[in-house]
Amino acid sequence: MAEAIMPQHNHLLAALSGEVQQRLFPHLEPVEMPLGKVLYESGDTLRHVYFPTDSIVSLLYVMESGASAEISVVGNEGLVGVALFMGGESTPSRAIVQSGGHAYRLLGQRLKDEFNRHGELLVLMLRYTQALITQMAQTAVCNRHHSIDQQLCRWLLLSLDRLPGNNLTMTQELIANMLGVRREGVTEAAGKLQRQGVIEYSRGHITVIDRHKLEQLSCECYEVVKRETDRLLPYLPQRKTAGLPSTA
């Protein structure tokens, strides 16, 4: 039987004290997060924040031409909608579900009320926002200086860290849109990983079978983001390679 989805499956919510949980949890609304669902578009006024449990949301910048590139991913380590408590109320990015699953939705005003108590939630949200900014900055550097092969490895590792297992449901076309590259480049890079025994890819399903090798093939950008996230958010479970054998 599948495990029931609980608010504590989101690590931010799980890190809150019982007192804060009692104030927020009654107002959490469980929502389905189907693949490709757009949570908000560029410039939309944000009314809710989302706490993913077993889904991943990509934040994309979309150009006038329609071209897009991912600037960060959010999964069970965080929340979507930091602009609400930072005072901006809107953002120039698009939020789209990259890996389907579930999340808990909370009315933005509820979060702001708790944030404005200047207690533990404020500290937690600010530390999470700093980790998110680090990921955005490193993504920009990676997209400019590293190969598609390395970018794909980084992207796969960041996604795995935000999911309970080692399987992703993702088309090559969607990956190309996330990375802001041509689909042919993703096809070639994924083919190399499959031939090296790092992943198995079939009909939009990716299974990572050698995470250790995947980390070796990635650029330093993944480790920079991981190290800073672990430093700022020590409540996160440590990334594990158990069950993902290495052939190195």
Side-chain angles (χ1 to χ4, degrees):
M1 179 179 293
E3 184 181 7
I5 301 299
M6 304 289 290
Q8 291 86 350
H9 290 155
N10 177 278
H11 303 311
L12 269 182
L13 293 176
L16 297 171
S17 68
E19 178 183 353
V20 178
Q21 288 181 354
Q22 287 178 6
R23 287 196 293 266
L24 290 183
F25 280 20
H27 305 289
L28 292 172
E29 176 190 1
V31 292
E32 295 280 345
M33 300 281 274
L35 177 66
K37 177 180 175 63
V38 176
L39 302 182
Y40 58 76
E41 288 284 3
S42 172
D44 285 354
T45 298
L46 307 185
R47 297 188 62 250
H48 297 88
V49 293
Y50 294 81
F51 296 90
T53 53
D54 58 350
S55 60
I56 298 179
V57 177
S58 289
L59 303 184
L60 303 171
Y61 264 68
V62 183
M63 308 298 288
E64 289 183 358
S65 64
S68 63
E70 183 180 77
I71 57 172
S72 64
V73 292
V74 179
N76 59 10
E77 92 295 354
L79 85 162
V80 180
V82 296
L84 266 168
F85 61 80
M86 296 296 287
E89 305 294 336
S90 67
T91 174
S93 62
R94 169 192 290 169
I96 184 172
V97 177
Q98 164 190 309
S99 182
H102 305 81
Y104 280 89
R105 187 169 71 175
L106 180 66
L107 193 65
Q109 190 57 52
R110 296 281 185 186
L111 185 77
K112 286 193 287 187
D113 289 345
E114 185 64 38
F115 186 86
N116 290 333
R117 286 175 176 265
H118 292 184
E120 62 178 88
L121 183 75
L122 180 147
V123 175
L124 196 61
M125 292 297 106
L126 292 181
R127 291 174 75 89
Y128 170 70
T129 301
Q130 183 175 340
L132 192 64
I133 291 172
T134 298
Q135 185 190 154
M136 292 177 175
Q138 203 66 39
T139 297
V141 172
C142 189
N143 290 347
R144 175 65 178 85
H145 292 286
H146 293 141
S147 68
I148 295 177
D149 293 13
Q150 292 172 313
Q151 291 179 50
L152 178 60
C153 291
R154 169 186 58 81
W155 183 87
L156 288 171
L157 288 165
L158 288 175
S159 297
L160 281 180
D161 285 349
R162 288 152 178 81
L163 289 173
N166 64 327
N167 298 295
L168 299 95
T169 301
M170 181 64 51
T171 65
Q172 292 185 2
E173 183 176 359
L174 194 49
I175 295 174
N177 289 337
M178 300 297 176
L179 297 179
V181 298
R182 297 176 61 207
R183 178 179 176 178
E184 291 79 2
V186 173
T187 299
E188 183 179 351
K192 289 179 184 177
L193 291 178
Q194 185 157 252
R195 288 192 294 273
Q196 293 178 76
V198 177
I199 67 171
E200 290 180 352
Y201 180 83
S202 176
R203 298 182 181 273
H205 294 278
I206 300 173
T207 301
V208 175
I209 56 179
D210 190 345
R211 173 166 180 150
H212 179 70
K213 182 67 172 180
L214 187 63
E215 291 181 355
Q216 289 182 327
L217 293 172
S218 180
C219 51
E220 70 269 25
C221 296
Y222 166 70
E223 185 59 33
V224 169
V225 174
K226 176 184 178 296
R227 185 168 58 247
E228 185 70 353
T229 300
D230 289 345
R231 181 184 73 84
L232 291 166
L233 305 173
Y235 62 82
L236 285 178
Q238 291 298 303
R239 281 62 168 166
K240 297 178 180 179
T241 58
L244 303 180
S246 170
T247 58

